[in-house]
Amino acid sequence: MQLNQFLEDFSKVEGAKILVHGGGRGASEQLKRMGIEPKMIDGRRITDAETLEVVVGFYAGVTNKSIVSSLQKLGVNAMGISGSDGNAISGVKRPVKTVDFGFVGDLHENSVNGKLFQILLKNELIPVVCAITHDGNGQLLNTNADTIASAIAKELAKIKEWNVELYFCFDKNGVMKDVNDESSLISEIDFEFYQELKADGIINEGMIPKLDNAFEVIKSGVKSVYIKHASNVNMEIGTKLI
Amino acid sequence: MQLNQFLEDFSKVEGAKILVHGGGRGASEQLKRMGIEPKMIDGRRITDAETLEVVVGFYAGVTNKSIVSSLQKLGVNAMGISGSDGNAISGVKRPVKTVDFGFVGDLHENSVNGKLFQILLKNELIPVVCAITHDGNGQLLNTNADTIASAIAKELAKIKEWNVELYFCFDKNGVMKDVNDESSLISEIDFEFYQELKADGIINEGMIPKLDNAFEVIKSGVKSVYIKHASNVNMEIGTKLI
């Protein structure tokens, strides 16, 4: 139901838009049913061949097509893609250092096929991108959805006449001074203020990679970046990075 | 390995092309692993909600993205789609008469979004279509791949300057007088000859829906229809319908 509400809100967002998503709880539940225990390190899933098959089935199959068919119902001409489709997003298998993450992909400077996104958007096809990339050599790779969204935003921000905005949606209202106190929401934050808050230990651990990433996007020319609750896409509640 | 060989052959087919596929053995194996016995009536799978999820995960996810990433490796700019993507192919849930097939889709006159296929092909994106359609009301539907391929061919044959050819690929060399004797392959068959062979009980039961369907495609203006072994895509071995 939460997803349905989000999609309805998304359908009302005006202009060209792109949705990037992970796999929801479906993939984890399926892995559990199959007796495969999720192995997480630093919040990232270790992806062996068997896990990758489940992840691809959910991200690119079940979740992506459920979102696309729901958006079609809502009058949005959605087009579900993985990174392999039209070579939308290529990645490289994460090198094994202390941890072998398996079939996990990292992005590089030229990962995003900006031309493909332009073709789709100019033809009024709304890309719905799942968090799967490919290495160009036939290998699919489980890739972080925030990273993909950031990379797409950065690439499209290179087009002068486009005002690219990026919304990170999650289950909190935004960046808060006290994670348990909704009234401590920070409505605007610049890089300097962020550094202060980080130094004072006020920013929650889990938010740091999200914010580091988000400030990098701001620096690259994306007009605005927001961190918001998925329920507030069309409302002025959230944290704006400036 | 057979699939890889087929994809290599497909990559060498010249001109604009479209690949339509089902789910391979993956979906059936997964259903078995989950303790869901495949329920088939008249060769069609009864598709309840749980089965649909597995079917969508494999057809639109695992199988589709495996094909797409392999084709990308072979230099084909493949674009994997289900019927919901860009509203490519809409279907209607099969009405319940004596049998409730569940979430199985039938096609209608306006099922195929010809404009979408033209946009993709004109942008040199090669559609790889899985056998999943949608009803426009948020419901995905398990749909026969031969039916989808036929409907796409018929729709694109309406474009005057296009010479549409349709290849049905399976695990036999084509239509044979004696299914156990490769030398009895019929290399050309017209509708009259087909009727004779059918009346004489020479055509194998399983081939009848395939051929009925194929002759309907021929009548609709598709230039040629072939029934071939998946290994012989680029070879002159098979049955040509005339």
Side-chain angles (χ1 to χ4, degrees):
Chain A
M1 282 304 100
Q2 277 184 327
L3 178 61
N4 282 345
Q5 186 55 54
F6 171 78
L7 295 177
E8 210 174 312
D9 293 343
F10 179 78
S11 76
K12 291 172 186 155
V13 174
E14 285 181 17
K17 53 196 168 187
I18 296 170
L19 179 59
V20 180
H21 67 87
R25 292 189 207 104
S28 302
E29 279 167 18
Q30 174 64 15
L31 287 165
K32 214 178 282 174
R33 245 181 291 164
M34 291 170 68
I36 304 171
E37 280 301 313
K39 283 159 282 193
M40 311 287 281
I41 292 183
D42 299 337
R44 293 292 166 90
R45 190 194 294 278
I46 306 282
T47 308
D48 59 16
E50 207 179 8
T51 303
L52 182 70
E53 189 176 288
V54 174
V55 165
V56 169
F58 271 86
Y59 289 34
V62 178
T63 307
N64 190 266
K65 299 321 165 199
S66 160
I67 292 173
V68 168
S69 59
S70 297
L71 285 173
Q72 288 286 346
K73 178 184 178 176
L74 292 162
V76 176
N77 198 9
M79 182 84 170
I81 58 174
S82 73
S84 62
D85 298 299
N87 189 30
I89 301 148
S90 51
V92 286
K93 187 170 176 296
R94 183 170 300 173
V96 179
K97 289 175 187 166
T98 49
V99 180
D100 183 358
F101 283 94
F103 298 109
V104 160
D106 291 323
L107 301 190
H108 50 77
E109 280 303 300
N110 302 309
S111 279
V112 178
N113 182 348
K115 196 180 148 226
L116 178 76
F117 285 97
Q118 287 187 65
I119 289 170
L120 296 177
L121 291 169
K122 283 184 180 168
N123 284 289
E124 290 174 11
L125 293 160
I126 304 303
V128 176
V129 186
C130 72
I132 302 288
T133 62
H134 77 132
D135 72 352
N137 203 27
Q139 181 62 55
L140 296 167
L141 297 165
N142 185 11
T143 305
N144 182 270
D146 283 354
T147 309
I148 290 178
S150 303
I152 295 172
K154 282 192 229 172
E155 183 63 32
L156 296 183
K158 291 180 188 166
I159 305 167
K160 269 188 194 158
E161 63 268 37
W162 287 15
N163 283 321
V164 178
E165 295 191 331
L166 177 61
Y167 288 48
F168 290 107
C169 296
F170 72 144
D171 58 356
K172 301 278 173 207
N173 273 338
V175 183
M176 289 180 284
K177 287 188 181 171
D178 175 357
V179 77
N180 297 311
D181 178 6
E182 291 285 338
S183 73
S184 72
L185 181 72
I186 301 165
S187 59
E188 279 195 357
I189 185 169
D190 63 11
F191 190 70
E192 216 183 313
F193 187 29
Y194 170 50
Q195 296 306 317
E196 276 174 38
L197 290 171
K198 204 159 63 166
D200 294 347
I202 286 167
I203 298 282
N204 189 275
E205 278 282 305
M207 283 301 292
I208 293 176
K210 236 184 176 55
L211 280 165
D212 282 345
N213 182 24
F215 276 109
E216 210 201 297
V217 175
I218 280 283
K219 280 180 200 157
S220 75
V222 172
K223 197 181 132 208
S224 351
V225 177
Y226 297 87
I227 298 181
K228 274 178 174 266
H229 197 291
S231 308
N232 295 332
V233 169
N234 294 326
M235 282 188 277
E236 289 197 7
I237 305 167
T239 300
K240 183 180 184 180
L241 278 69
I242 52 173
Chain B
M1 282 305 101
Q2 276 184 325
L3 178 61
N4 282 345
Q5 186 56 53
F6 171 79
L7 295 176
E8 211 175 311
D9 293 343
F10 179 78
S11 76
K12 290 173 187 155
V13 174
E14 286 181 17
K17 54 195 169 188
I18 296 170
L19 180 59
V20 180
H21 68 88
R25 292 190 207 103
S28 303
E29 279 167 17
Q30 174 64 16
L31 287 166
K32 214 177 283 176
R33 242 181 292 167
M34 291 169 71
I36 305 171
E37 279 300 312
K39 283 159 283 195
M40 310 287 281
I41 293 183
D42 299 336
R44 294 291 165 91
R45 191 195 293 278
I46 308 281
T47 308
D48 59 14
E50 208 180 8
T51 303
L52 183 71
E53 189 176 289
V54 174
V55 165
V56 169
F58 271 86
Y59 288 35
V62 178
T63 307
N64 189 265
K65 299 320 167 200
S66 159
I67 292 174
V68 168
S69 59
S70 296
L71 285 173
Q72 289 285 346
K73 178 183 177 177
L74 292 163
V76 176
N77 198 8
M79 182 83 169
I81 58 173
S82 74
S84 61
D85 297 300
N87 189 30
I89 300 149
S90 50
V92 286
K93 188 170 175 295
R94 183 169 300 174
V96 179
K97 290 175 189 167
T98 50
V99 180
D100 183 357
F101 283 93
F103 298 110
V104 160
D106 291 322
L107 301 190
H108 50 76
E109 279 303 300
N110 302 308
S111 280
V112 177
N113 183 347
K115 196 180 147 225
L116 178 76
F117 285 96
Q118 287 186 63
I119 289 169
L120 296 177
L121 291 169
K122 283 183 179 168
N123 284 289
E124 290 174 12
L125 293 160
I126 304 303
V128 175
V129 186
C130 71
I132 301 290
T133 62
H134 77 133
D135 72 352
N137 203 26
Q139 181 62 56
L140 297 167
L141 297 165
N142 185 11
T143 305
N144 182 270
D146 283 354
T147 309
I148 291 178
S150 303
I152 296 173
K154 282 193 229 172
E155 183 63 32
L156 295 183
K158 292 179 188 166
I159 305 166
K160 268 190 196 157
E161 60 269 36
W162 286 16
N163 285 320
V164 178
E165 296 190 330
L166 177 61
Y167 288 48
F168 290 107
C169 296
F170 73 143
D171 57 357
K172 301 276 173 207
N173 273 339
V175 184
M176 288 180 284
K177 288 189 182 173
D178 175 358
V179 76
N180 297 311
D181 178 7
E182 292 285 339
S183 73
S184 72
L185 181 73
I186 300 164
S187 58
E188 278 194 0
I189 185 169
D190 63 13
F191 190 67
E192 216 184 312
F193 186 30
Y194 170 49
Q195 295 308 317
E196 276 174 40
L197 290 171
K198 203 159 61 165
D200 295 346
I202 286 167
I203 298 282
N204 191 272
E205 279 281 305
M207 282 303 292
I208 292 176
K210 236 185 176 60
L211 279 165
D212 282 345
N213 182 25
F215 275 108
E216 211 201 294
V217 175
I218 279 283
K219 280 179 198 156
S220 77
V222 171
K223 198 181 132 210
S224 350
V225 178
Y226 297 87
I227 298 182
K228 273 175 176 269
H229 197 292
S231 307
N232 294 333
V233 169
N234 293 327
M235 281 187 276
E236 291 196 7
I237 305 167
T239 300
K240 184 179 184 182
L241 276 68
I242 53 173

